[in-house]
Coordinates of all heavy atoms in Angstrom, one line a residue:
M1 N 11.2 4.9 -15.6 CA 10.6 4.4 -14.4 C 10.2 5.6 -13.5 O 10.9 6.7 -13.5 CB 11.5 3.6 -13.6 CG 10.9 2.9 -12.4 SD 12.0 1.6 -11.8 CE 11.8 1.9 -10.1
K2 N 9.1 5.5 -12.8 CA 8.6 6.6 -11.9 C 9.4 6.8 -10.7 O 10.1 5.8 -10.2 CB 7.1 6.3 -11.5 CG 6.2 6.3 -12.7 CD 4.8 6.0 -12.2 CE 4.3 4.8 -13.0 NZ 3.1 4.3 -12.6
E3 N 9.3 7.9 -10.0 CA 10.0 8.1 -8.8 C 9.3 7.3 -7.7 O 8.1 7.2 -7.7 CB 9.9 9.6 -8.4 CG 10.6 10.5 -9.4 CD 10.3 12.0 -9.1 OE1 9.8 12.3 -8.0 OE2 10.6 12.8 -9.9
P4 N 10.1 6.8 -6.7 CA 9.5 5.9 -5.7 C 8.5 6.7 -4.8 O 7.5 6.1 -4.4 CB 10.7 5.6 -4.8 CG 11.9 5.7 -5.7 CD 11.6 6.8 -6.7
Q5 N 8.7 8.0 -4.6 CA 7.7 8.8 -3.8 C 6.4 8.9 -4.5 O 5.4 9.1 -3.9 CB 8.3 10.2 -3.5 CG 9.5 10.2 -2.6 CD 10.8 9.9 -3.3 OE1 10.8 9.8 -4.6 NE2 11.9 9.9 -2.6
R6 N 6.3 8.8 -5.9 CA 5.1 8.9 -6.6 C 4.4 7.5 -6.7 O 3.2 7.5 -6.9 CB 5.3 9.4 -8.0 CG 5.7 10.9 -8.0 CD 5.9 11.4 -9.4 NE 6.3 12.7 -9.4 CZ 5.6 13.8 -9.7 NH1 4.3 13.6 -10.0 NH2 6.1 15.0 -9.6
I7 N 5.1 6.4 -6.5 CA 4.5 5.1 -6.5 C 3.9 4.8 -5.2 O 2.7 4.4 -5.2 CB 5.6 4.1 -6.9 CG1 6.1 4.3 -8.3 CG2 5.0 2.7 -6.7 CD1 7.3 3.4 -8.7
I8 N 4.6 5.0 -4.1 CA 4.0 4.7 -2.8 C 3.3 6.0 -2.3 O 4.0 7.0 -2.0 CB 5.1 4.3 -1.8 CG1 6.0 3.1 -2.3 CG2 4.6 4.0 -0.4 CD1 5.2 1.9 -2.4
R9 N 2.0 6.0 -2.2 CA 1.3 7.2 -1.8 C 1.3 7.3 -0.2 O 1.6 8.4 0.3 CB -0.1 7.1 -2.3 CG -0.2 7.1 -3.8 CD -1.2 8.2 -4.2 NE -1.1 8.3 -5.7 CZ -2.1 8.1 -6.5 NH1 -3.3 7.8 -6.0 NH2 -1.9 8.2 -7.8
R10 N 0.8 6.3 0.5 CA 0.7 6.4 1.9 C 0.6 5.0 2.5 O 0.1 4.0 1.8 CB -0.4 7.2 2.4 CG -1.8 6.7 2.0 CD -2.9 7.6 2.4 NE -4.2 7.1 2.0 CZ -5.1 6.5 2.9 NH1 -4.8 6.5 4.2 NH2 -6.2 6.0 2.4
P11 N 1.0 4.8 3.7 CA 0.7 3.5 4.4 C -0.7 3.4 4.8 O -1.3 4.4 5.2 CB 1.7 3.5 5.6 CG 1.9 4.9 5.9 CD 1.8 5.6 4.6
L12 N -1.3 2.2 4.8 CA -2.6 1.9 5.3 C -2.5 1.3 6.7 O -2.0 0.2 6.8 CB -3.4 1.1 4.4 CG -3.7 1.7 3.0 CD1 -4.4 0.6 2.1 CD2 -4.5 2.9 3.1
I13 N -2.9 2.0 7.7 CA -2.8 1.5 9.1 C -4.2 1.2 9.6 O -5.0 2.1 9.9 CB -2.1 2.5 10.0 CG1 -0.7 2.8 9.4 CG2 -2.0 1.9 11.4 CD1 0.0 3.8 10.1
T14 N -4.5 -0.1 9.6 CA -5.8 -0.6 10.1 C -5.6 -1.7 11.1 O -4.4 -2.1 11.3 CB -6.7 -1.1 8.9 OG1 -6.0 -2.2 8.3 CG2 -6.9 -0.1 7.9
E15 N -6.6 -2.2 11.7 CA -6.5 -3.4 12.6 C -5.9 -4.6 11.9 O -5.0 -5.2 12.4 CB -7.8 -3.7 13.2 CG -7.9 -3.9 14.7 CD -9.2 -4.1 15.2 OE1 -10.1 -3.2 15.1 OE2 -9.5 -5.2 15.6
K16 N -6.4 -4.9 10.7 CA -6.0 -6.0 9.9 C -4.5 -5.9 9.5 O -3.7 -6.8 9.6 CB -6.9 -6.2 8.7 CG -6.5 -7.5 7.9 CD -7.5 -7.7 6.8 CE -7.1 -8.9 6.0 NZ -8.1 -9.2 5.0
S17 N -4.1 -4.7 9.0 CA -2.8 -4.5 8.6 C -1.8 -4.5 9.8 O -0.6 -5.0 9.6 CB -2.6 -3.2 7.8 OG -2.8 -2.1 8.7
T18 N -2.2 -4.1 10.9 CA -1.3 -4.2 12.1 C -1.1 -5.7 12.5 O 0.0 -6.1 12.8 CB -2.0 -3.5 13.3 OG1 -2.2 -2.1 12.9 CG2 -1.1 -3.5 14.5
L19 N -2.1 -6.5 12.4 CA -2.0 -7.9 12.7 C -1.1 -8.6 11.6 O -0.2 -9.4 11.9 CB -3.3 -8.7 12.7 CG -4.2 -8.4 13.9 CD1 -5.6 -9.0 13.7 CD2 -3.6 -8.9 15.1
Q20 N -1.2 -8.2 10.3 CA -0.4 -8.7 9.3 C 1.1 -8.4 9.5 O 2.0 -9.2 9.3 CB -0.8 -8.2 7.9 CG -2.1 -8.8 7.4 CD -2.5 -8.2 6.1 OE1 -2.4 -7.0 5.9 NE2 -2.9 -9.1 5.2
K21 N 1.3 -7.2 10.0 CA 2.7 -6.7 10.3 C 3.3 -7.5 11.4 O 4.5 -8.0 11.2 CB 2.7 -5.2 10.6 CG 4.0 -4.7 11.1 CD 3.9 -3.2 11.5 CE 3.1 -3.1 12.8 NZ 3.8 -3.4 14.0
D22 N 2.6 -7.8 12.4 CA 3.1 -8.5 13.6 C 3.3 -10.0 13.3 O 4.3 -10.6 13.7 CB 2.2 -8.4 14.8 CG 2.1 -6.9 15.3 OD1 3.1 -6.2 15.0 OD2 1.1 -6.5 15.9
E23 N 2.4 -10.6 12.6 CA 2.4 -12.1 12.4 C 3.2 -12.5 11.1 O 3.8 -13.6 11.1 CB 1.0 -12.6 12.3 CG 0.3 -12.4 13.7 CD -1.2 -12.8 13.6 OE1 -1.6 -13.2 12.5 OE2 -1.9 -12.7 14.6
A24 N 3.1 -11.8 10.0 CA 3.6 -12.3 8.8 C 4.6 -11.3 8.1 O 5.0 -11.6 6.9 CB 2.4 -12.5 7.8
H25 N 5.1 -10.3 8.7 CA 6.0 -9.3 8.2 C 5.4 -8.7 6.9 O 6.2 -8.5 5.9 CB 7.4 -9.9 7.9 CG 8.0 -10.5 9.1 ND1 8.5 -9.7 10.1 CD2 8.2 -11.8 9.5 CE1 9.0 -10.5 11.1 NE2 8.8 -11.8 10.7
Q26 N 4.1 -8.4 6.9 CA 3.5 -7.8 5.7 C 3.1 -6.4 6.0 O 2.5 -6.1 7.1 CB 2.3 -8.6 5.3 CG 2.6 -10.0 4.8 CD 1.4 -10.8 4.4 OE1 0.3 -10.5 4.8 NE2 1.6 -11.9 3.6
Y27 N 3.4 -5.5 5.1 CA 3.0 -4.1 5.2 C 2.1 -3.7 4.1 O 2.2 -4.2 2.9 CB 4.3 -3.2 5.2 CG 5.1 -3.5 6.4 CD1 6.1 -4.5 6.4 CD2 5.0 -2.7 7.5 CE1 6.9 -4.8 7.5 CE2 5.8 -2.9 8.6 CZ 6.7 -4.0 8.6 OH 7.5 -4.2 9.7
V28 N 1.1 -2.8 4.3 CA 0.1 -2.5 3.4 C 0.2 -1.0 3.0 O 0.4 -0.1 3.9 CB -1.3 -2.7 3.9 CG1 -2.4 -2.4 2.9 CG2 -1.4 -4.2 4.4
F29 N 0.2 -0.7 1.7 CA 0.4 0.7 1.2 C -0.7 1.0 0.2 O -1.1 0.1 -0.5 CB 1.7 0.8 0.5 CG 2.9 0.6 1.4 CD1 3.6 -0.6 1.4 CD2 3.4 1.7 2.2 CE1 4.7 -0.8 2.2 CE2 4.5 1.5 3.0 CZ 5.1 0.3 3.0
E30 N -1.1 2.2 0.1 CA -1.8 2.7 -1.1 C -0.8 3.1 -2.1 O 0.1 3.9 -1.8 CB -2.7 3.9 -0.7 CG -3.5 4.4 -1.8 CD -4.3 5.6 -1.5 OE1 -4.6 5.9 -0.3 OE2 -4.7 6.4 -2.4
V31 N -1.0 2.6 -3.3 CA 0.0 2.9 -4.4 C -0.7 3.5 -5.6 O -1.9 3.5 -5.7 CB 0.8 1.6 -4.8 CG1 1.6 1.1 -3.6 CG2 -0.2 0.5 -5.3
D32 N 0.2 4.0 -6.5 CA -0.3 4.6 -7.8 C -1.0 3.5 -8.6 O -0.6 2.3 -8.6 CB 0.9 5.1 -8.6 CG 0.4 5.7 -9.9 OD1 -0.5 6.5 -9.9 OD2 1.1 5.5 -10.9
R33 N -2.2 3.8 -9.1 CA -3.0 2.8 -9.9 C -2.3 2.2 -11.1 O -2.6 1.1 -11.5 CB -4.3 3.5 -10.3 CG -5.3 3.6 -9.2 CD -6.7 3.8 -9.7 NE -7.1 2.7 -10.6 CZ -8.0 2.8 -11.5 NH1 -8.6 4.0 -11.7 NH2 -8.4 1.8 -12.2
N34 N -1.4 3.0 -11.7 CA -0.7 2.5 -12.9 C 0.6 1.8 -12.6 O 1.3 1.4 -13.6 CB -0.5 3.7 -13.8 CG -1.8 4.3 -14.3 OD1 -2.8 3.6 -14.5 ND2 -1.8 5.7 -14.3
S35 N 1.0 1.6 -11.4 CA 2.2 1.0 -11.1 C 2.0 -0.6 -11.0 O 1.0 -1.1 -10.7 CB 2.8 1.5 -9.7 OG 1.9 1.2 -8.7
N36 N 3.1 -1.3 -11.4 CA 3.1 -2.7 -11.3 C 3.8 -3.3 -10.1 O 4.4 -2.5 -9.4 CB 3.5 -3.3 -12.7 CG 5.0 -2.9 -13.0 OD1 5.8 -2.7 -12.1 ND2 5.3 -2.8 -14.3
K37 N 3.9 -4.6 -10.0 CA 4.5 -5.2 -8.8 C 6.0 -4.9 -8.8 O 6.6 -4.7 -7.7 CB 4.2 -6.7 -8.8 CG 2.8 -7.1 -8.5 CD 2.6 -8.6 -8.5 CE 1.1 -8.9 -8.3 NZ 0.9 -10.4 -8.1
I38 N 6.6 -5.0 -9.9 CA 8.1 -4.7 -9.9 C 8.4 -3.3 -9.5 O 9.4 -3.1 -8.7 CB 8.6 -5.0 -11.3 CG1 8.4 -6.5 -11.7 CG2 10.1 -4.7 -11.5 CD1 8.6 -6.9 -13.1
E39 N 7.7 -2.3 -10.0 CA 7.9 -1.0 -9.6 C 7.6 -0.8 -8.1 O 8.4 0.0 -7.4 CB 7.0 0.0 -10.4 CG 7.4 0.1 -11.8 CD 6.4 0.9 -12.7 OE1 5.2 1.1 -12.2 OE2 6.8 1.4 -13.7
I40 N 6.6 -1.4 -7.6 CA 6.3 -1.3 -6.2 C 7.4 -1.9 -5.3 O 7.8 -1.3 -4.3 CB 4.9 -2.0 -5.8 CG1 3.8 -1.2 -6.5 CG2 4.7 -2.0 -4.3 CD1 2.5 -1.9 -6.6
Q41 N 7.9 -3.1 -5.7 CA 9.0 -3.7 -5.0 C 10.2 -2.8 -5.0 O 10.8 -2.6 -3.9 CB 9.3 -5.1 -5.7 CG 10.5 -5.8 -5.0 CD 10.8 -7.1 -5.6 OE1 10.0 -7.6 -6.5 NE2 11.8 -7.7 -5.2
S42 N 10.6 -2.3 -6.1 CA 11.8 -1.5 -6.1 C 11.6 -0.2 -5.3 O 12.6 0.3 -4.7 CB 12.3 -1.2 -7.6 OG 11.3 -0.4 -8.2
A43 N 10.4 0.4 -5.3 CA 10.2 1.6 -4.6 C 10.3 1.4 -3.1 O 10.9 2.2 -2.4 CB 8.8 2.2 -4.9
V44 N 9.7 0.3 -2.6 CA 9.8 0.0 -1.2 C 11.2 -0.3 -0.8 O 11.7 0.2 0.3 CB 8.8 -1.2 -0.8 CG1 9.1 -1.7 0.6 CG2 7.4 -0.9 -1.0
E45 N 11.9 -1.1 -1.6 CA 13.3 -1.4 -1.3 C 14.2 -0.1 -1.2 O 15.1 0.1 -0.4 CB 13.9 -2.4 -2.2 CG 13.4 -3.8 -2.0 CD 13.9 -4.8 -3.1 OE1 14.5 -4.4 -4.1 OE2 13.6 -6.0 -2.9
H46 N 13.9 0.8 -2.2 CA 14.7 2.1 -2.2 C 14.3 3.0 -1.1 O 15.2 3.6 -0.4 CB 14.4 2.8 -3.6 CG 15.1 4.1 -3.7 ND1 16.4 4.2 -3.9 CD2 14.6 5.4 -3.6 CE1 16.8 5.5 -4.0 NE2 15.6 6.2 -3.8
L47 N 13.0 3.2 -0.8 CA 12.6 4.1 0.3 C 13.0 3.7 1.7 O 13.4 4.5 2.5 CB 11.1 4.4 0.2 CG 10.7 5.2 -1.0 CD1 9.1 5.3 -1.1 CD2 11.2 6.6 -1.0
F48 N 12.8 2.4 2.0 CA 12.9 1.9 3.3 C 14.1 1.0 3.6 O 14.3 0.6 4.7 CB 11.6 1.1 3.7 CG 10.4 1.9 3.6 CD1 9.5 1.7 2.6 CD2 10.1 3.0 4.6 CE1 8.3 2.5 2.5 CE2 9.0 3.7 4.5 CZ 8.1 3.5 3.5
K49 N 14.9 0.8 2.6 CA 16.2 0.0 2.7 C 16.0 -1.3 3.3 O 16.6 -1.8 4.3 CB 17.2 0.8 3.5 CG 17.5 2.2 3.1 CD 18.2 2.3 1.8 CE 18.6 3.7 1.5 NZ 17.8 4.4 0.5
V50 N 15.0 -2.1 2.7 CA 14.7 -3.4 3.2 C 14.6 -4.3 1.9 O 14.7 -3.9 0.8 CB 13.3 -3.5 3.9 CG1 13.3 -2.8 5.2 CG2 12.2 -3.0 3.0
K51 N 14.6 -5.7 2.1 CA 14.5 -6.6 1.1 C 13.1 -7.2 1.0 O 12.5 -7.7 2.0 CB 15.5 -7.8 1.3 CG 15.4 -8.8 0.3 CD 16.0 -8.4 -1.0 CE 16.0 -9.6 -2.0 NZ 15.7 -9.2 -3.3
V52 N 12.4 -7.1 -0.2 CA 11.0 -7.5 -0.4 C 11.0 -8.9 -0.9 O 11.7 -9.2 -1.9 CB 10.3 -6.5 -1.3 CG1 8.9 -7.0 -1.6 CG2 10.2 -5.2 -0.7
N53 N 10.2 -9.8 -0.3 CA 10.1 -11.2 -0.8 C 8.9 -11.3 -1.8 O 9.0 -12.0 -2.8 CB 9.8 -12.1 0.3 CG 11.1 -12.5 1.1 OD1 12.2 -12.3 0.6 ND2 11.0 -13.0 2.2
N54 N 7.8 -10.6 -1.5 CA 6.6 -10.8 -2.3 C 5.8 -9.5 -2.3 O 5.7 -8.8 -1.3 CB 5.8 -12.0 -1.7 CG 4.6 -12.4 -2.6 OD1 4.6 -12.0 -3.8 ND2 3.7 -13.1 -2.1
V55 N 5.0 -9.3 -3.4 CA 4.1 -8.1 -3.5 C 2.8 -8.7 -4.1 O 2.8 -9.4 -5.1 CB 4.7 -7.0 -4.5 CG1 3.7 -5.9 -4.6 CG2 6.0 -6.5 -3.9
R56 N 1.7 -8.3 -3.4 CA 0.4 -8.6 -3.9 C -0.4 -7.3 -4.1 O -0.3 -6.4 -3.2 CB -0.4 -9.5 -2.9 CG 0.2 -10.9 -2.8 CD -0.6 -11.8 -1.9 NE -0.6 -11.3 -0.6 CZ -1.4 -11.6 0.4 NH1 -2.4 -12.5 0.1 NH2 -1.4 -11.1 1.6
T57 N -1.1 -7.2 -5.2 CA -1.8 -5.9 -5.4 C -3.3 -6.2 -5.5 O -3.8 -7.3 -6.0 CB -1.3 -5.3 -6.7 OG1 -1.5 -6.1 -7.8 CG2 0.1 -4.8 -6.6
I58 N -4.1 -5.2 -5.1 CA -5.6 -5.3 -5.2 C -6.1 -3.9 -5.7 O -5.6 -2.9 -5.2 CB -6.1 -5.5 -3.8 CG1 -5.6 -6.8 -3.2 CG2 -7.6 -5.6 -3.8 CD1 -5.5 -6.8 -1.7
T59 N -7.0 -4.0 -6.7 CA -7.6 -2.7 -7.1 C -8.9 -2.6 -6.4 O -9.8 -3.5 -6.5 CB -7.9 -2.7 -8.6 OG1 -6.6 -2.9 -9.3 CG2 -8.5 -1.4 -9.1
V60 N -9.1 -1.5 -5.6 CA -10.3 -1.3 -4.8 C -11.2 -0.4 -5.5 O -10.8 0.7 -5.9 CB -9.9 -0.7 -3.4 CG1 -11.1 -0.5 -2.5 CG2 -8.9 -1.6 -2.7
L61 N -12.4 -0.8 -5.7 CA -13.4 0.1 -6.4 C -13.9 1.1 -5.5 O -14.2 0.9 -4.3 CB -14.5 -0.8 -7.0 CG -14.1 -1.9 -8.0 CD1 -15.3 -2.7 -8.4 CD2 -13.5 -1.3 -9.2
G62 N -14.1 2.3 -6.0 CA -14.6 3.4 -5.2 C -16.1 3.3 -4.9 O -16.8 2.7 -5.6
K63 N -16.5 3.8 -3.7 CA -17.9 3.6 -3.3 C -18.8 4.7 -4.0 O -18.3 5.8 -4.3 CB -17.9 3.9 -1.8 CG -17.2 2.8 -1.0 CD -17.4 3.1 0.5 CE -16.7 2.1 1.4 NZ -16.9 2.4 2.8
M64 N -20.0 4.3 -4.1 CA -21.0 5.3 -4.6 C -21.5 6.1 -3.4 O -21.7 5.6 -2.3 CB -22.2 4.5 -5.2 CG -22.0 3.8 -6.4 SD -21.5 4.8 -7.8 CE -23.0 5.7 -8.1
K65 N -21.5 7.4 -3.6 CA -21.9 8.3 -2.5 C -23.0 9.2 -3.0 O -23.2 9.4 -4.2 CB -20.7 9.2 -2.1 CG -19.6 8.4 -1.4 CD -20.2 7.9 0.0 CE -19.2 7.1 0.7 NZ -19.7 6.7 2.0
R66 N -23.8 9.7 -2.1 CA -24.9 10.5 -2.4 C -24.9 11.8 -1.6 O -24.6 11.8 -0.4 CB -26.2 9.8 -2.1 CG -27.5 10.5 -2.4 CD -28.6 9.6 -2.1 NE -29.8 10.5 -2.0 CZ -31.0 10.0 -1.7 NH1 -31.2 8.7 -1.6 NH2 -32.0 10.8 -1.6
L67 N -25.2 12.9 -2.2 CA -25.3 14.2 -1.6 C -26.6 14.9 -2.1 O -26.7 15.4 -3.2 CB -24.1 15.1 -1.9 CG -24.0 16.5 -1.2 CD1 -24.0 16.3 0.3 CD2 -22.9 17.3 -1.7
G68 N -27.6 14.8 -1.2 CA -28.9 15.2 -1.7 C -29.5 14.3 -2.7 O -29.6 13.1 -2.6
K69 N -29.9 14.9 -3.9 CA -30.4 14.1 -5.0 C -29.3 13.6 -5.9 O -29.6 12.7 -6.7 CB -31.3 15.0 -5.8 CG -32.6 15.5 -5.2 CD -33.4 16.3 -6.1 CE -34.7 16.8 -5.5 NZ -35.5 17.6 -6.4
R70 N -28.2 14.1 -5.8 CA -27.1 13.8 -6.7 C -26.3 12.6 -6.2 O -26.0 12.4 -5.0 CB -26.2 14.9 -6.9 CG -26.9 16.1 -7.4 CD -25.9 17.1 -8.1 NE -26.3 18.4 -8.4 CZ -27.3 18.8 -9.1 NH1 -28.1 17.9 -9.7 NH2 -27.6 20.0 -9.4
Y71 N -25.9 11.7 -7.1 CA -25.0 10.6 -6.8 C -23.6 10.9 -7.4 O -23.5 11.5 -8.4 CB -25.6 9.3 -7.4 CG -26.7 8.8 -6.7 CD1 -28.0 9.1 -7.0 CD2 -26.6 7.9 -5.6 CE1 -29.1 8.6 -6.4 CE2 -27.6 7.4 -4.9 CZ -28.9 7.7 -5.3 OH -30.0 7.2 -4.6
G72 N -22.6 10.4 -6.7 CA -21.3 10.5 -7.2 C -20.5 9.2 -6.8 O -21.1 8.3 -6.2
K73 N -19.3 9.2 -7.3 CA -18.5 8.0 -7.0 C -17.1 8.4 -6.6 O -16.5 9.3 -7.2 CB -18.4 7.1 -8.3 CG -17.6 5.8 -8.1 CD -17.7 5.1 -9.5 CE -16.8 3.9 -9.4 NZ -15.4 4.2 -9.4
R74 N -16.6 7.8 -5.5 CA -15.3 8.0 -5.1 C -14.3 7.3 -6.1 O -14.7 6.3 -6.7 CB -15.0 7.5 -3.7 CG -15.7 8.3 -2.7 CD -15.3 7.9 -1.3 NE -15.9 8.7 -0.3 CZ -15.9 8.4 1.0 NH1 -15.3 7.3 1.4 NH2 -16.4 9.2 1.9
P75 N -13.1 7.8 -6.2 CA -12.2 7.2 -7.2 C -11.7 5.8 -6.8 O -11.6 5.5 -5.6 CB -11.0 8.2 -7.2 CG -11.1 9.0 -6.0 CD -12.5 9.0 -5.6
D76 N -11.4 5.0 -7.8 CA -10.8 3.7 -7.6 C -9.4 3.9 -7.1 O -8.8 4.9 -7.5 CB -10.9 2.9 -8.8 CG -12.3 2.6 -9.3 OD1 -13.2 2.8 -8.6 OD2 -12.4 2.3 -10.5
W77 N -8.9 3.0 -6.4 CA -7.5 3.1 -5.9 C -6.9 1.7 -5.8 O -7.5 0.7 -5.9 CB -7.4 3.8 -4.6 CG -8.2 3.3 -3.5 CD1 -9.6 3.4 -3.3 CD2 -7.8 2.6 -2.3 NE1 -10.0 2.8 -2.2 CE2 -8.9 2.3 -1.5 CE3 -6.5 2.1 -1.9 CZ2 -8.8 1.6 -0.4 CZ3 -6.4 1.4 -0.8 CH2 -7.5 1.1 0.0
K78 N -5.6 1.6 -5.6 CA -4.8 0.4 -5.6 C -4.1 0.2 -4.3 O -3.5 1.1 -3.8 CB -3.8 0.4 -6.8 CG -3.2 -1.0 -7.1 CD -2.4 -0.9 -8.3 CE -2.2 -2.2 -9.0 NZ -1.4 -2.1 -10.2
K79 N -4.2 -1.0 -3.8 CA -3.6 -1.4 -2.5 C -2.5 -2.4 -2.8 O -2.7 -3.3 -3.6 CB -4.7 -1.9 -1.6 CG -4.2 -2.4 -0.3 CD -5.2 -2.7 0.7 CE -6.4 -3.5 0.3 NZ -7.3 -3.9 1.4
A80 N -1.4 -2.3 -2.1 CA -0.3 -3.3 -2.2 C 0.0 -3.9 -0.9 O 0.2 -3.1 0.1 CB 1.0 -2.7 -2.8
I81 N 0.1 -5.2 -0.8 CA 0.5 -5.9 0.4 C 2.0 -6.4 0.1 O 2.2 -7.3 -0.7 CB -0.4 -7.1 0.7 CG1 -1.8 -6.5 0.9 CG2 0.1 -7.8 2.0 CD1 -2.9 -7.6 1.1
V82 N 2.9 -5.9 0.9 CA 4.3 -6.2 0.7 C 4.8 -7.1 1.8 O 4.7 -6.7 3.0 CB 5.1 -4.9 0.6 CG1 6.6 -5.2 0.4 CG2 4.6 -4.0 -0.5
T83 N 5.4 -8.2 1.4 CA 6.0 -9.2 2.4 C 7.5 -9.0 2.4 O 8.1 -9.0 1.4 CB 5.7 -10.6 2.0 OG1 4.3 -10.8 1.9 CG2 6.2 -11.6 3.1
L84 N 8.0 -8.7 3.6 CA 9.5 -8.5 3.8 C 10.2 -9.7 4.2 O 9.6 -10.7 4.7 CB 9.7 -7.4 4.8 CG 9.1 -6.0 4.6 CD1 9.5 -5.1 5.7 CD2 9.5 -5.5 3.2
R85 N 11.5 -9.7 4.0 CA 12.4 -10.8 4.4 C 12.4 -10.9 5.9 O 12.2 -9.9 6.6 CB 13.8 -10.5 3.9 CG 14.8 -11.5 4.2 CD 16.2 -11.2 3.6 NE 16.6 -9.8 4.1 CZ 17.6 -9.2 3.7 NH1 18.4 -9.8 2.7 NH2 17.9 -8.0 4.1
E86 N 12.6 -12.1 6.4 CA 12.6 -12.3 7.8 C 13.7 -11.5 8.5 O 14.8 -11.5 8.0 CB 12.9 -13.8 8.1 CG 12.7 -14.2 9.5 CD 11.2 -14.3 9.9 OE1 10.4 -14.6 9.0 OE2 10.9 -14.1 11.1
G87 N 13.4 -10.7 9.5 CA 14.4 -9.9 10.2 C 14.3 -8.4 9.8 O 14.7 -7.6 10.5
D88 N 13.8 -8.1 8.6 CA 13.6 -6.8 8.1 C 12.3 -6.2 8.7 O 11.3 -6.9 8.9 CB 13.6 -6.7 6.6 CG 14.9 -6.8 6.0 OD1 15.9 -6.7 6.7 OD2 15.0 -6.9 4.8
R89 N 12.3 -4.9 8.9 CA 11.1 -4.2 9.3 C 11.2 -2.8 8.9 O 12.3 -2.2 8.7 CB 10.9 -4.3 10.8 CG 11.9 -3.6 11.7 CD 11.6 -3.8 13.1 NE 12.2 -2.7 13.8 CZ 12.0 -2.4 15.1 NH1 11.2 -3.1 15.8 NH2 12.5 -1.3 15.6
I90 N 10.0 -2.1 8.9 CA 9.9 -0.7 8.5 C 9.6 0.0 9.8 O 8.5 -0.2 10.4 CB 8.9 -0.5 7.4 CG1 9.3 -1.2 6.1 CG2 8.7 1.0 7.1 CD1 8.2 -1.2 5.0
D91 N 10.5 0.9 10.2 CA 10.3 1.6 11.5 C 9.2 2.6 11.4 O 8.8 3.1 12.5 CB 11.6 2.2 11.9 CG 12.7 1.2 12.3 OD1 12.3 0.1 12.8 OD2 13.9 1.5 12.1
F92 N 8.8 3.0 10.2 CA 7.8 4.0 10.1 C 6.5 3.6 10.8 O 5.8 4.3 11.3 CB 7.5 4.2 8.6 CG 6.5 5.2 8.3 CD1 6.8 6.6 8.3 CD2 5.2 4.8 8.0 CE1 5.8 7.5 8.0 CE2 4.2 5.8 7.7 CZ 4.5 7.1 7.7
F93 N 6.2 2.2 10.8 CA 5.0 1.7 11.4 C 5.2 1.5 12.9 O 4.2 1.2 13.5 CB 4.7 0.4 10.7 CG 4.1 0.5 9.3 CD1 5.0 0.5 8.2 CD2 2.8 0.7 9.1 CE1 4.5 0.6 6.9 CE2 2.3 0.8 7.8 CZ 3.1 0.8 6.8
E94 N 6.3 1.5 13.4 CA 6.6 1.2 14.8 C 6.3 2.4 15.7 O 6.2 2.3 16.9 CB 8.0 0.7 15.0 CG 8.4 -0.4 14.2 CD 7.5 -1.6 14.3 OE1 7.1 -1.9 15.4 OE2 7.3 -2.3 13.3
G95 N 6.1 3.6 15.1 CA 5.8 4.8 15.9 C 7.1 5.4 16.6 O 7.0 6.2 17.5
A96 N 8.2 5.0 16.1 CA 9.5 5.5 16.7 C 10.0 6.7 16.1 O 9.6 7.1 15.0 CB 10.5 4.4 16.6

């Protein structure tokens, strides 16, 4: 199994993810593309000492970009929406 720090890349802090955090105890992370839901769940539980109820994953396709005449593509990446048990929270998102 991979190290938890390699599975969870960074938190995604957007307007929508802030609303999900406040209303449904859901936190959004950018994760390793090759990780599965079980690995993501164990990594979040290990890193933040919380209990995870549900994990949903989404593969986000990279955008096409242009620089002059040349076209390129940003890399694809994976997003995980993690639902925590009632009463648990991740203080990393609270700004404390």
Side-chain angles (χ1 to χ4, degrees):
M1 189 168 138
K2 298 178 232 174
E3 299 172 12
Q5 292 84 1
R6 291 183 185 254
I7 294 173
I8 306 293
R9 295 232 172 118
R10 66 184 177 105
L12 295 176
I13 301 173
T14 61
E15 228 176 291
K16 184 176 180 179
S17 68
T18 305
L19 289 174
Q20 286 178 319
K21 174 184 67 78
D22 293 338
E23 296 173 0
H25 302 289
Q26 294 178 342
Y27 294 86
V28 183
F29 297 97
E30 179 182 340
V31 296
D32 181 44
R33 281 197 58 205
N34 299 319
S35 59
N36 59 31
K37 292 181 180 186
I38 297 168
E39 291 174 339
I40 294 167
Q41 178 179 351
S42 64
V44 170
E45 288 178 349
H46 177 74
L47 289 175
F48 300 108
K49 308 294 189 256
V50 294
K51 178 70 176 144
V52 174
N53 282 345
N54 190 16
V55 176
R56 295 184 297 163
T57 59
I58 303 153
T59 301
V60 181
L61 300 177
K63 294 180 178 180
M64 294 296 294
K65 290 294 179 178
R66 181 177 158 178
L67 182 61
K69 293 181 181 180
R70 302 199 193 303
Y71 284 92
K73 182 178 173 291
R74 288 190 177 167
D76 300 341
W77 55 285
K78 193 173 202 178
K79 175 168 53 171
I81 301 172
V82 178
T83 305
L84 299 183
R85 178 177 58 186
E86 192 73 31
D88 281 350
R89 67 181 205 168
I90 298 176
D91 292 329
F92 181 82
F93 287 90
E94 306 302 324

